[in-house]
Coordinates of all heavy atoms in Angstrom, one line a residue:
M500 N 0.8 -1.2 0.0 CA 0.0 0.0 0.0 C 0.9 1.2 0.0 O 1.8 1.3 0.8 CB -0.9 -0.1 1.3 CG -1.9 1.0 1.3 SD -3.0 1.0 2.8 CE -3.3 -0.7 3.0
P501 N 0.7 2.2 -0.9 CA 1.5 3.4 -0.9 C 1.3 4.2 0.4 O 0.2 4.1 1.0 CB 0.9 4.2 -2.1 CG 0.1 3.3 -2.9 CD -0.3 2.2 -2.0
T502 N 2.3 4.8 0.8 CA 2.3 5.6 2.0 C 2.0 7.1 1.7 O 2.2 7.5 0.6 CB 3.5 5.5 2.9 OG1 4.6 6.0 2.1 CG2 3.8 4.1 3.3
T503 N 1.4 7.8 2.6 CA 1.0 9.1 2.5 C 2.0 10.1 3.0 O 2.6 9.9 4.0 CB -0.3 9.4 3.3 OG1 -1.3 8.4 2.8 CG2 -0.8 10.8 3.0
T504 N 2.3 11.1 2.2 CA 3.2 12.2 2.7 C 2.3 13.4 3.0 O 1.5 13.9 2.2 CB 4.1 12.6 1.6 OG1 4.9 11.5 1.2 CG2 5.0 13.8 2.0
I505 N 2.4 13.9 4.2 CA 1.6 15.0 4.6 C 2.3 16.3 4.3 O 3.5 16.5 4.7 CB 1.3 15.0 6.1 CG1 0.5 13.7 6.4 CG2 0.5 16.2 6.6 CD1 0.3 13.4 7.9
D506 N 1.7 17.1 3.5 CA 2.3 18.4 3.1 C 1.2 19.5 3.0 O 0.3 19.3 2.2 CB 3.0 18.2 1.7 CG 3.7 19.4 1.1 OD1 3.5 20.5 1.7 OD2 4.4 19.2 0.1
A507 N 1.4 20.5 3.7 CA 0.4 21.6 3.7 C 0.2 22.2 2.4 O -0.8 22.8 2.1 CB 0.9 22.7 4.7
N508 N 1.2 22.1 1.5 CA 1.1 22.7 0.1 C 0.6 21.7 -0.9 O 0.6 22.1 -2.1 CB 2.4 23.3 -0.3 CG 2.8 24.4 0.7 OD1 2.0 25.3 1.0 ND2 4.1 24.4 1.1
A509 N 0.3 20.5 -0.5 CA -0.1 19.5 -1.5 C -1.4 19.9 -2.1 O -2.3 20.5 -1.5 CB -0.2 18.1 -0.8
T510 N -1.6 19.4 -3.4 CA -2.9 19.8 -4.1 C -3.9 18.6 -4.1 O -4.9 18.6 -4.7 CB -2.6 20.2 -5.5 OG1 -1.9 19.1 -6.1 CG2 -1.7 21.4 -5.6
V511 N -3.6 17.6 -3.3 CA -4.4 16.4 -3.3 C -5.7 16.6 -2.4 O -5.6 17.5 -1.5 CB -3.7 15.1 -2.8 CG1 -2.6 14.8 -3.7 CG2 -3.2 15.3 -1.4
A512 N -6.7 15.8 -2.5 CA -7.8 15.8 -1.7 C -7.5 14.8 -0.6 O -7.2 13.6 -0.9 CB -9.1 15.4 -2.4
T513 N -7.7 15.2 0.7 CA -7.4 14.3 1.8 C -8.6 14.0 2.6 O -9.4 14.9 2.9 CB -6.3 14.9 2.7 OG1 -5.1 15.1 2.0 CG2 -6.0 14.0 3.9
L514 N -8.9 12.7 2.8 CA -10.0 12.3 3.6 C -9.5 11.5 4.9 O -8.7 10.7 4.8 CB -10.9 11.3 2.8 CG -11.4 12.0 1.5 CD1 -10.7 11.4 0.3 CD2 -12.9 11.8 1.5
I515 N -10.1 11.9 6.0 CA -9.7 11.2 7.2 C -11.0 10.7 7.8 O -12.0 11.5 8.1 CB -9.1 12.2 8.2 CG1 -7.8 12.8 7.6 CG2 -8.8 11.5 9.5 CD1 -7.2 13.9 8.4
N516 N -11.1 9.4 7.9 CA -12.3 8.7 8.4 C -12.0 8.0 9.7 O -11.0 7.3 9.8 CB -12.8 7.6 7.4 CG -13.2 8.2 6.1 OD1 -14.2 9.0 6.0 ND2 -12.5 8.0 5.1
V517 N -12.7 8.3 10.7 CA -12.5 7.7 12.0 C -13.7 6.8 12.3 O -14.9 7.2 12.3 CB -12.4 8.8 13.2 CG1 -12.2 8.1 14.5 CG2 -11.3 9.7 12.8
F518 N -13.4 5.5 12.6 CA -14.5 4.5 12.9 C -14.4 4.1 14.3 O -13.3 3.9 14.8 CB -14.3 3.3 12.0 CG -14.3 3.6 10.5 CD1 -13.1 3.8 9.8 CD2 -15.5 3.5 9.8 CE1 -13.1 4.1 8.5 CE2 -15.5 3.8 8.4 CZ -14.3 4.1 7.8
T519 N -15.5 3.9 15.0 CA -15.5 3.4 16.3 C -16.1 2.0 16.3 O -17.2 1.8 15.7 CB -16.4 4.3 17.2 OG1 -15.8 5.6 17.2 CG2 -16.3 3.8 18.7
V520 N -15.4 1.0 16.8 CA -15.8 -0.4 16.8 C -15.7 -1.0 18.1 O -15.0 -0.5 19.0 CB -15.0 -1.1 15.7 CG1 -15.2 -0.6 14.3 CG2 -13.5 -1.1 16.1
E521 N -16.4 -2.1 18.3 CA -16.1 -3.0 19.4 C -14.7 -3.5 19.4 O -14.2 -3.9 18.3 CB -17.1 -4.1 19.5 CG -18.6 -3.7 19.6 CD -18.8 -3.1 21.0 OE1 -18.2 -3.5 22.0 OE2 -19.6 -2.1 21.0
P522 N -14.0 -3.5 20.5 CA -12.6 -4.0 20.5 C -12.4 -5.3 19.8 O -11.4 -5.5 19.1 CB -12.2 -4.0 22.0 CG -13.1 -3.0 22.6 CD -14.4 -3.1 21.8
A523 N -13.4 -6.2 19.9 CA -13.2 -7.6 19.3 C -13.3 -7.5 17.8 O -12.9 -8.5 17.1 CB -14.3 -8.5 19.9
R524 N -13.8 -6.4 17.2 CA -13.9 -6.3 15.8 C -12.9 -5.3 15.1 O -13.0 -5.1 13.9 CB -15.3 -5.9 15.5 CG -16.3 -6.9 16.0 CD -17.7 -6.8 15.4 NE -17.6 -7.3 14.0 CZ -18.6 -7.0 13.1 NH1 -19.7 -6.4 13.5 NH2 -18.5 -7.4 11.9
Q525 N -12.0 -4.7 15.9 CA -11.1 -3.8 15.4 C -10.2 -4.4 14.3 O -10.1 -3.9 13.2 CB -10.2 -3.2 16.5 CG -9.3 -2.1 15.9 CD -8.3 -1.6 16.9 OE1 -7.6 -2.5 17.6 NE2 -8.1 -0.3 17.1
R526 N -9.6 -5.6 14.5 CA -8.8 -6.2 13.6 C -9.6 -6.5 12.3 O -9.0 -6.4 11.2 CB -8.2 -7.5 14.2 CG -7.3 -8.3 13.2 CD -6.2 -7.7 12.4 NE -5.5 -6.7 13.1 CZ -4.6 -5.8 12.6 NH1 -4.5 -5.8 11.2 NH2 -4.0 -4.9 13.3
E527 N -10.8 -7.0 12.4 CA -11.7 -7.3 11.3 C -11.8 -6.1 10.4 O -11.7 -6.1 9.1 CB -13.0 -7.8 11.8 CG -14.0 -8.1 10.7 CD -15.4 -8.5 11.2 OE1 -15.5 -8.6 12.5 OE2 -16.3 -8.6 10.4
L528 N -12.1 -4.9 11.0 CA -12.3 -3.7 10.2 C -10.9 -3.3 9.5 O -10.9 -2.9 8.4 CB -12.8 -2.5 11.1 CG -12.9 -1.2 10.3 CD1 -13.9 -1.3 9.1 CD2 -13.5 -0.1 11.3
V529 N -9.8 -3.3 10.3 CA -8.5 -3.0 9.7 C -8.3 -3.9 8.4 O -7.9 -3.4 7.4 CB -7.4 -3.2 10.7 CG1 -6.0 -3.1 10.0 CG2 -7.5 -2.1 11.8
D530 N -8.5 -5.2 8.6 CA -8.3 -6.1 7.5 C -9.2 -5.8 6.3 O -8.8 -5.9 5.2 CB -8.5 -7.6 8.0 CG -7.4 -8.0 9.0 OD1 -6.4 -7.3 9.1 OD2 -7.6 -9.1 9.6
L531 N -10.4 -5.5 6.6 CA -11.4 -5.1 5.5 C -10.9 -3.9 4.8 O -10.9 -3.9 3.5 CB -12.8 -4.9 6.1 CG -13.8 -4.4 5.1 CD1 -14.3 -5.5 4.2 CD2 -15.1 -3.9 5.9
L532 N -10.5 -2.9 5.5 CA -10.1 -1.6 4.8 C -8.8 -1.8 4.1 O -8.7 -1.3 2.9 CB -9.9 -0.5 5.9 CG -11.2 0.0 6.5 CD1 -10.8 0.9 7.7 CD2 -12.1 0.7 5.5
V533 N -7.9 -2.6 4.6 CA -6.6 -2.9 3.8 C -7.0 -3.7 2.6 O -6.5 -3.3 1.5 CB -5.6 -3.6 4.7 CG1 -4.5 -4.2 3.9 CG2 -5.1 -2.8 5.9
A534 N -7.8 -4.7 2.7 CA -8.2 -5.5 1.5 C -8.9 -4.6 0.5 O -8.6 -4.7 -0.7 CB -9.0 -6.6 1.9
A535 N -9.8 -3.7 0.9 CA -10.5 -2.9 -0.1 C -9.5 -1.9 -0.8 O -9.7 -1.7 -2.0 CB -11.6 -2.1 0.7
T536 N -8.6 -1.4 0.0 CA -7.6 -0.5 -0.6 C -6.7 -1.3 -1.6 O -6.5 -0.8 -2.8 CB -6.7 0.1 0.5 OG1 -7.5 0.9 1.4 CG2 -5.7 1.0 -0.1
E537 N -6.2 -2.4 -1.2 CA -5.3 -3.2 -2.1 C -6.0 -3.7 -3.3 O -5.5 -3.7 -4.4 CB -4.6 -4.3 -1.3 CG -3.6 -3.8 -0.3 CD -2.4 -3.1 -1.0 OE1 -2.0 -3.6 -2.0 OE2 -2.0 -2.1 -0.4
E538 N -7.2 -4.3 -3.1 CA -7.9 -5.0 -4.2 C -8.7 -4.0 -5.2 O -8.9 -4.3 -6.3 CB -8.9 -6.0 -3.6 CG -8.1 -7.1 -2.9 CD -9.0 -8.0 -2.1 OE1 -10.3 -7.9 -2.3 OE2 -8.5 -8.7 -1.2
V539 N -9.2 -2.9 -4.6 CA -10.0 -2.0 -5.5 C -9.6 -0.6 -5.5 O -9.3 -0.1 -6.6 CB -11.5 -2.1 -4.9 CG1 -12.4 -1.2 -5.7 CG2 -12.0 -3.5 -4.9
M540 N -9.5 0.1 -4.4 CA -9.3 1.5 -4.4 C -8.0 1.9 -5.1 O -8.0 2.9 -5.9 CB -9.3 2.1 -3.0 CG -10.6 1.9 -2.2 SD -11.9 2.6 -3.1 CE -13.3 2.1 -2.2
R541 N -6.9 1.3 -4.9 CA -5.6 1.7 -5.4 C -5.6 1.6 -7.0 O -4.7 2.1 -7.6 CB -4.4 1.0 -4.8 CG -4.3 -0.5 -5.2 CD -3.1 -1.1 -4.4 NE -2.7 -2.3 -5.0 CZ -1.6 -2.5 -5.7 NH1 -0.8 -1.5 -5.9 NH2 -1.4 -3.7 -6.2
H542 N -6.6 0.9 -7.5 CA -6.6 0.7 -9.0 C -7.5 1.7 -9.6 O -7.7 1.7 -10.8 CB -7.1 -0.7 -9.3 CG -6.2 -1.8 -8.8 ND1 -4.9 -2.0 -9.2 CD2 -6.4 -2.6 -7.7 CE1 -4.4 -3.0 -8.5 NE2 -5.2 -3.4 -7.6
R543 N -8.2 2.5 -8.8 CA -9.1 3.6 -9.3 C -8.3 4.8 -9.8 O -7.4 5.2 -9.1 CB -10.2 4.0 -8.3 CG -11.1 2.9 -7.8 CD -12.0 2.5 -8.8 NE -12.5 1.3 -9.3 CZ -12.0 0.1 -9.5 NH1 -10.8 -0.2 -9.2 NH2 -12.6 -0.8 -10.1
P544 N -8.7 5.4 -10.9 CA -8.1 6.6 -11.3 C -8.1 7.7 -10.2 O -9.1 7.9 -9.6 CB -8.9 7.1 -12.5 CG -9.6 5.8 -13.0 CD -9.8 5.0 -11.7
G545 N -6.9 8.3 -10.1 CA -6.8 9.4 -9.1 C -6.4 9.0 -7.7 O -6.1 9.9 -6.9
F546 N -6.4 7.7 -7.4 CA -5.9 7.3 -6.1 C -4.5 7.6 -5.9 O -3.7 7.4 -6.7 CB -6.2 5.8 -5.9 CG -5.7 5.2 -4.6 CD1 -6.5 5.3 -3.4 CD2 -4.4 4.6 -4.5 CE1 -6.0 4.9 -2.2 CE2 -4.0 4.1 -3.3 CZ -4.8 4.3 -2.1
V547 N -4.1 8.1 -4.7 CA -2.7 8.5 -4.4 C -2.2 7.5 -3.3 O -1.2 6.8 -3.5 CB -2.6 9.9 -3.9 CG1 -1.2 10.2 -3.4 CG2 -3.0 10.9 -5.0
A548 N -2.9 7.5 -2.2 CA -2.4 6.6 -1.1 C -3.4 6.5 0.0 O -4.4 7.3 0.1 CB -1.1 7.3 -0.5
A549 N -3.3 5.5 0.8 CA -4.1 5.3 2.0 C -3.3 4.7 3.1 O -2.4 4.0 2.9 CB -5.3 4.5 1.7
N550 N -3.6 5.1 4.3 CA -3.0 4.5 5.6 C -4.1 4.2 6.5 O -5.1 4.9 6.7 CB -2.1 5.5 6.2 CG -0.9 5.9 5.3 OD1 0.1 5.2 5.4 ND2 -1.0 6.9 4.5
I551 N -4.0 3.0 7.1 CA -5.0 2.5 8.0 C -4.3 2.3 9.4 O -3.3 1.7 9.5 CB -5.6 1.1 7.6 CG1 -5.9 1.0 6.1 CG2 -6.7 0.7 8.5 CD1 -7.0 2.0 5.7
H552 N -4.9 3.0 10.4 CA -4.4 2.9 11.7 C -5.3 2.4 12.7 O -6.5 2.7 12.7 CB -4.0 4.4 12.2 CG -3.1 5.1 11.3 ND1 -1.8 5.0 11.3 CD2 -3.4 6.0 10.2 CE1 -1.2 5.7 10.3 NE2 -2.2 6.3 9.7
A553 N -4.9 1.4 13.5 CA -5.7 0.8 14.6 C -5.3 1.6 15.9 O -4.1 1.6 16.3 CB -5.4 -0.6 14.8
G554 N -6.3 2.1 16.6 CA -6.0 2.8 17.9 C -5.6 1.8 18.9 O -6.0 0.7 19.0
A555 N -4.7 2.3 19.8 CA -4.1 1.5 20.9 C -5.2 1.0 21.8 O -5.1 0.0 22.5 CB -3.0 2.2 21.6
E556 N -6.3 1.8 22.0 CA -7.3 1.5 22.9 C -8.2 0.4 22.4 O -9.0 -0.1 23.2 CB -8.1 2.8 23.2 CG -9.2 3.2 22.2 CD -8.7 3.6 20.9 OE1 -7.5 4.1 20.7 OE2 -9.4 3.4 19.9
G557 N -8.1 0.1 21.1 CA -8.9 -1.0 20.6 C -10.3 -0.7 20.0 O -10.9 -1.6 19.5
T558 N -10.7 0.5 20.1 CA -12.1 0.9 19.7 C -12.1 1.8 18.5 O -13.2 2.1 18.0 CB -12.9 1.6 20.8 OG1 -12.2 2.8 21.2 CG2 -13.0 0.6 22.0
R559 N -11.0 2.2 18.0 CA -10.9 3.1 16.9 C -10.1 2.7 15.8 O -9.0 2.0 16.0 CB -10.5 4.5 17.3 CG -11.5 5.2 18.2 CD -11.5 6.7 18.0 NE -12.6 7.4 18.8 CZ -12.9 7.3 20.0 NH1 -12.2 6.5 20.8 NH2 -13.8 8.0 20.5
V560 N -10.5 3.0 14.5 CA -9.7 2.7 13.3 C -9.8 4.0 12.5 O -10.8 4.6 12.4 CB -10.3 1.5 12.5 CG1 -9.5 1.4 11.2 CG2 -10.2 0.2 13.3
V561 N -8.6 4.5 12.0 CA -8.6 5.7 11.2 C -8.0 5.3 9.9 O -7.0 4.6 9.7 CB -7.6 6.7 11.9 CG1 -7.5 8.0 11.0 CG2 -8.1 7.1 13.3
N562 N -8.8 5.8 8.8 CA -8.3 5.7 7.4 C -8.0 7.0 6.9 O -8.9 7.9 6.9 CB -9.5 5.0 6.7 CG -9.2 4.9 5.2 OD1 -8.1 5.2 4.7 ND2 -10.2 4.5 4.4
Y563 N -6.8 7.2 6.6 CA -6.3 8.5 6.0 C -6.0 8.2 4.6 O -5.1 7.5 4.2 CB -5.0 8.9 6.8 CG -4.4 10.2 6.4 CD1 -4.7 11.4 7.1 CD2 -3.5 10.3 5.3 CE1 -4.2 12.6 6.7 CE2 -3.0 11.5 4.9 CZ -3.3 12.6 5.6 OH -2.7 13.9 5.2
A564 N -6.8 8.8 3.7 CA -6.6 8.5 2.2 C -6.5 9.8 1.4 O -7.0 10.9 1.8 CB -7.9 7.8 1.7
Q565 N -5.7 9.7 0.3 CA -5.5 10.9 -0.5 C -5.9 10.5 -2.0 O -5.6 9.4 -2.4 CB -4.1 11.4 -0.5 CG -3.7 12.0 0.9 CD -2.3 12.5 0.9 OE1 -1.4 11.9 0.4 NE2 -2.1 13.6 1.6
W566 N -6.5 11.5 -2.6 CA -6.9 11.3 -4.1 C -6.3 12.6 -4.8 O -6.1 13.6 -4.2 CB -8.4 11.3 -4.2 CG -9.0 10.0 -3.6 CD1 -9.2 9.8 -2.3 CD2 -9.3 8.8 -4.3 NE1 -9.7 8.5 -2.1 CE2 -9.7 7.9 -3.4 CE3 -9.2 8.4 -5.7 CZ2 -10.1 6.6 -3.7 CZ3 -9.6 7.2 -6.0 CH2 -10.0 6.3 -5.0
E567 N -6.1 12.4 -6.0 CA -5.5 13.5 -6.8 C -6.3 14.8 -6.8 O -5.8 15.9 -6.8 CB -5.3 13.1 -8.3 CG -4.2 12.1 -8.5 CD -4.0 11.7 -9.9 OE1 -4.8 12.1 -10.8 OE2 -3.1 10.9 -10.2
S568 N -7.7 14.6 -6.6 CA -8.6 15.7 -6.6 C -9.9 15.3 -5.9 O -10.2 14.1 -5.9 CB -8.9 16.3 -8.0 OG -9.6 15.3 -8.7
A569 N -10.7 16.2 -5.5 CA -12.1 15.9 -5.0 C -12.9 15.3 -6.1 O -13.7 14.4 -5.9 CB -12.7 17.2 -4.5
D570 N -12.7 15.7 -7.4 CA -13.4 15.1 -8.5 C -13.0 13.6 -8.7 O -13.9 12.8 -8.9 CB -13.1 15.8 -9.8 CG -13.9 17.1 -9.9 OD1 -14.8 17.4 -9.1 OD2 -13.4 18.0 -10.7
A571 N -11.8 13.2 -8.5 CA -11.3 11.8 -8.6 C -12.0 11.0 -7.5 O -12.5 9.9 -7.7 CB -9.8 11.7 -8.5
F572 N -12.1 11.6 -6.3 CA -12.7 10.9 -5.2 C -14.2 10.7 -5.5 O -14.8 9.6 -5.3 CB -12.6 11.7 -3.9 CG -13.4 11.1 -2.7 CD1 -13.1 9.9 -2.2 CD2 -14.5 11.8 -2.3 CE1 -13.9 9.4 -1.2 CE2 -15.3 11.3 -1.3 CZ -15.0 10.1 -0.7
R573 N -14.9 11.7 -6.0 CA -16.3 11.6 -6.3 C -16.6 10.6 -7.4 O -17.6 9.9 -7.4 CB -16.9 13.0 -6.7 CG -17.1 13.9 -5.5 CD -17.9 15.1 -5.8 NE -17.2 16.1 -6.6 CZ -16.4 17.0 -6.0 NH1 -16.3 17.2 -4.7 NH2 -15.7 17.9 -6.8
A574 N -15.7 10.6 -8.4 CA -15.8 9.6 -9.5 C -15.7 8.2 -8.9 O -16.4 7.3 -9.3 CB -14.7 9.8 -10.5
M575 N -14.8 7.9 -8.0 CA -14.7 6.6 -7.3 C -16.0 6.2 -6.7 O -16.4 5.1 -6.7 CB -13.6 6.6 -6.3 CG -13.4 5.3 -5.5 SD -14.5 5.1 -4.1 CE -14.0 6.5 -3.0
L576 N -16.7 7.2 -6.1 CA -18.0 6.9 -5.4 C -19.1 6.4 -6.4 O -20.0 5.8 -6.0 CB -18.5 8.1 -4.6 CG -17.6 8.5 -3.4 CD1 -18.2 9.8 -2.8 CD2 -17.6 7.4 -2.4
T577 N -18.9 6.7 -7.7 CA -19.9 6.3 -8.6 C -19.6 4.9 -9.3 O -20.4 4.4 -10.0 CB -20.1 7.3 -9.8 OG1 -18.9 7.4 -10.5 CG2 -20.4 8.7 -9.3
D578 N -18.4 4.4 -8.9 CA -17.9 3.2 -9.5 C -18.6 2.0 -8.7 O -18.4 1.9 -7.5 CB -16.4 3.1 -9.3 CG -15.8 1.8 -9.9 OD1 -16.3 0.7 -9.5 OD2 -14.8 1.9 -10.6
P579 N -19.4 1.1 -9.4 CA -20.1 0.1 -8.7 C -19.2 -0.8 -7.8 O -19.5 -1.2 -6.7 CB -20.8 -0.7 -9.8 CG -20.9 0.2 -10.9 CD -19.7 1.1 -10.8
R580 N -18.0 -1.2 -8.3 CA -17.1 -2.1 -7.6 C -16.6 -1.4 -6.3 O -16.5 -2.0 -5.2 CB -15.9 -2.5 -8.4 CG -15.0 -3.4 -7.7 CD -14.6 -4.6 -8.4 NE -13.9 -5.6 -7.5 CZ -12.7 -5.9 -7.6 NH1 -11.9 -5.4 -8.6 NH2 -12.1 -6.7 -6.8
A581 N -16.2 -0.1 -6.4 CA -15.8 0.6 -5.3 C -16.9 0.8 -4.3 O -16.7 0.7 -3.0 CB -15.2 2.0 -5.7
R582 N -18.1 1.1 -4.7 CA -19.3 1.3 -3.8 C -19.5 0.0 -3.1 O -19.8 0.0 -1.9 CB -20.5 1.7 -4.6 CG -20.4 3.1 -5.1 CD -21.6 3.6 -5.9 NE -22.8 3.4 -5.2 CZ -23.3 4.3 -4.3 NH1 -22.6 5.4 -4.1 NH2 -24.4 4.2 -3.7
S583 N -19.5 -1.2 -3.7 CA -19.8 -2.4 -3.0 C -18.7 -2.7 -2.0 O -18.9 -3.4 -1.0 CB -19.9 -3.6 -4.0 OG -18.7 -3.9 -4.6
T584 N -17.5 -2.3 -2.2 CA -16.4 -2.5 -1.3 C -16.5 -1.6 -0.1 O -16.1 -2.0 1.0 CB -15.0 -2.2 -2.0 OG1 -14.9 -3.0 -3.1 CG2 -13.9 -2.4 -1.1
C585 N -17.2 -0.5 -0.2 CA -17.3 0.5 0.9 C -18.5 0.1 1.8 O -18.5 0.7 2.9 CB -17.6 1.9 0.3 SG -16.2 2.6 -0.6
R586 N -19.3 -0.8 1.5 CA -20.4 -1.1 2.3 C -20.0 -2.0 3.4 O -19.2 -2.9 3.3 CB -21.5 -1.9 1.5 CG -22.3 -1.0 0.6 CD -23.5 -1.7 0.1 NE -23.9 -1.1 -1.1 CZ -24.0 -1.6 -2.3 NH1 -23.8 -2.9 -2.5 NH2 -24.4 -0.9 -3.3
P587 N -20.6 -1.8 4.7 CA -20.3 -2.7 5.8 C -20.8 -4.1 5.5 O -21.8 -4.3 4.8 CB -21.0 -2.1 7.0 CG -21.7 -0.9 6.5 CD -21.5 -0.8 5.0
R588 N -20.1 -5.1 6.1 CA -20.5 -6.5 5.9 C -21.2 -7.0 7.1 O -21.0 -6.6 8.2 CB -19.3 -7.3 5.6 CG -18.7 -6.9 4.3 CD -17.5 -7.7 3.9 NE -16.9 -7.2 2.7 CZ -15.8 -7.6 2.1 NH1 -15.2 -8.6 2.6 NH2 -15.4 -7.1 1.1

């Protein structure tokens, strides 16, 4: 998975998603997000990078993702394969 460089002057669209989960399901969510990124998202036009972080307390997962533009991100949302990957299981 490509890593993200944080730069105040970057022209990318950055999304930070914070999920709250039961501690017993934190690893499941991390694995789901990593698989979705590797199998689908990184192949979408405009994808730059994503990082998935599991909180030490066991109840939070953070997804920090970057796209070349807000338009690239919105286009991904219309992609049926990407949309099915984003749905909870």
Side-chain angles (χ1 to χ4, degrees):
M500 184 176 327
T502 57
T503 304
T504 301
I505 299 171
D506 181 350
N508 297 314
T510 59
V511 297
T513 300
L514 298 108
I515 301 171
N516 297 293
V517 179
F518 303 92
T519 302
V520 297
E521 294 295 323
R524 300 197 69 193
Q525 184 188 49
R526 175 52 40 196
E527 177 185 355
L528 179 57
V529 167
D530 292 345
L531 174 72
L532 293 171
V533 169
T536 299
E537 288 296 320
E538 296 169 13
V539 178
M540 298 302 172
R541 73 184 194 106
H542 302 289
R543 299 287 137 324
F546 176 82
V547 175
N550 294 274
I551 313 299
H552 304 276
E556 80 294 334
T558 61
R559 289 209 174 55
V560 175
V561 178
N562 176 5
Y563 182 96
Q565 291 181 322
W566 292 82
E567 288 177 356
S568 66
D570 286 341
F572 171 72
R573 284 191 288 273
M575 176 277 297
L576 292 175
T577 67
D578 182 309
R580 180 135 190 245
R582 288 179 57 84
S583 69
T584 303
C585 295
R586 287 194 200 121
R588 296 178 185 182

